[in-house]
Amino acid sequence: MSARPPGLEVAGLHVGYPNRPVVHGADVTVEAGQVAAIVGPNGCGKSTLLRSLARLHRPASGTVRASGVDVWALGRREAARRIALLPQSPLAPEGVTVSGLVRFGRHPHQSVLRQWSREDERAVREAMEATATVEFAGEPLARLSGGQRQRCWLAMVLAQETPLVLLDEPTSALDLGHVVDVLELVRDITAGGRTVVMVLHDLSAAARYADTVVAMKDGRVLAQGPPAETVDSALVKELYEVEADVVAGPSDGAPVVVPRSRSGG
């Protein structure tokens, strides 16, 4: 019996714009059912890499495979059944309700011959239950707080029922309580075997909630692997050019990054 293919395999990926290469020969592997966090300084190519995984930016060369299938060889609808993307600043139609937003996640599964079904209703209901957004079903999305809206967007992604989920800075502009809520929900997403790849700025949060950290600088993958084996003072120095102590979290042993004062005081 053959082993199950990884949730994501990226090999030799080069991505960029005319006369401006951005990602240089990236190799990334994420096991199915795991969370990977892409980290690194601003402008290092994190979001460009994620856009290429999501088929929004065609690479100059290299391959992206989701569950063993080359995503760039798929048609648009089939790709949308395999890969879900939540961008950093998603836009919703004016006046859309929460349930209406979550229903958008079912569009890739519909066609002229397959209209709204009980299967779609089930997927929407389970996604809203998993994200604790049922109570907001009839509310306009715009009336909710930032943390509540982010849970609703995640519900839409869950309703899409793809094996690979891509999240671009899902905790951006959220307060600490909502950051924890969102990242714990991200962990829950993998319970059914889904693979999650997310871009994060907070290295300590990445080390706590991800199974694999992918560290990038200047468009190149410098390191990847389990946080406890990857995140250390040397990596922080190389990525961000700051001195830091990396200590084990008292509750779970996850690496915690504590920057040192530049003044030494």
Side-chain angles (χ1 to χ4, degrees):
M1 183 177 178
S2 60
R4 181 173 61 174
L8 175 70
E9 294 173 284
V10 179
L13 203 69
H14 291 265
V15 192
Y17 303 90
N19 302 316
R20 187 167 71 89
V22 178
V23 176
H24 310 277
D27 295 316
V28 177
T29 299
V30 184
E31 294 301 316
Q34 290 195 339
V35 175
I38 306 174
V39 301
N42 291 338
C44 72
K46 301 186 299 295
S47 291
T48 299
L49 173 59
L50 200 74
R51 286 174 58 83
S52 187
L53 306 184
R55 288 173 36 99
L56 295 179
H57 194 137
R58 183 176 288 275
S61 61
T63 58
V64 178
R65 294 183 176 275
S67 301
V69 178
D70 184 346
V71 304
W72 283 99
L74 298 172
R76 182 175 299 178
R77 183 173 292 273
E78 179 59 26
R81 293 177 183 142
R82 292 177 177 270
I83 305 167
L85 169 69
L86 181 58
Q88 184 177 350
S89 301
L91 298 175
E94 185 175 354
V96 71
T97 63
V98 169
S99 61
L101 177 73
V102 180
R103 287 166 69 95
F104 281 130
R106 299 304 298 168
H107 282 190
H109 301 274
Q110 297 174 349
S111 65
V112 174
L113 299 178
R114 186 191 181 283
Q115 297 298 307
W116 194 260
S117 68
R118 290 182 179 178
E119 183 68 10
D120 296 317
E121 290 288 354
R122 176 203 57 76
V124 168
R125 181 182 67 254
E126 291 182 357
M128 295 183 71
E129 289 173 349
T131 54
T133 53
V134 174
E135 64 180 295
F136 307 130
E139 291 287 331
L141 182 71
R143 291 185 185 176
L144 303 183
S145 70
Q148 292 168 338
R149 285 197 302 271
Q150 192 69 336
R151 291 194 348 244
C152 295
W153 284 109
L154 286 168
M156 185 195 73
V157 167
L158 285 177
Q160 197 169 331
E161 293 191 320
T162 59
L164 178 61
V165 176
L166 307 175
L167 308 173
D168 194 356
E169 297 189 32
T171 60
S172 177
L174 298 183
D175 63 36
L176 181 59
H178 285 122
V179 166
V180 172
D181 288 343
V182 167
L183 292 179
E184 288 187 349
L185 177 57
V186 169
R187 291 293 326 172
D188 292 342
I189 290 174
T190 63
R194 294 180 185 178
T195 305
V196 178
V197 179
M198 59 182 175
V199 170
L200 281 183
H201 272 297
D202 187 333
L203 187 53
S204 292
R208 171 152 288 161
Y209 289 97
D211 300 293
T212 297
V213 168
V214 179
M216 293 186 67
K217 185 176 184 181
D218 297 331
R220 302 183 187 279
V221 175
L222 296 185
Q224 62 181 302
E229 301 174 10
T230 307
V231 179
D232 57 20
S233 298
L235 180 67
V236 176
K237 175 70 171 179
E238 189 169 9
L239 289 179
Y240 304 106
E241 299 180 0
V242 297
E243 300 289 345
D245 297 307
V246 177
V247 298
S251 62
D252 58 6
V256 176
V257 178
V258 184
R260 300 175 191 169
S261 170
R262 291 189 187 273
S263 65

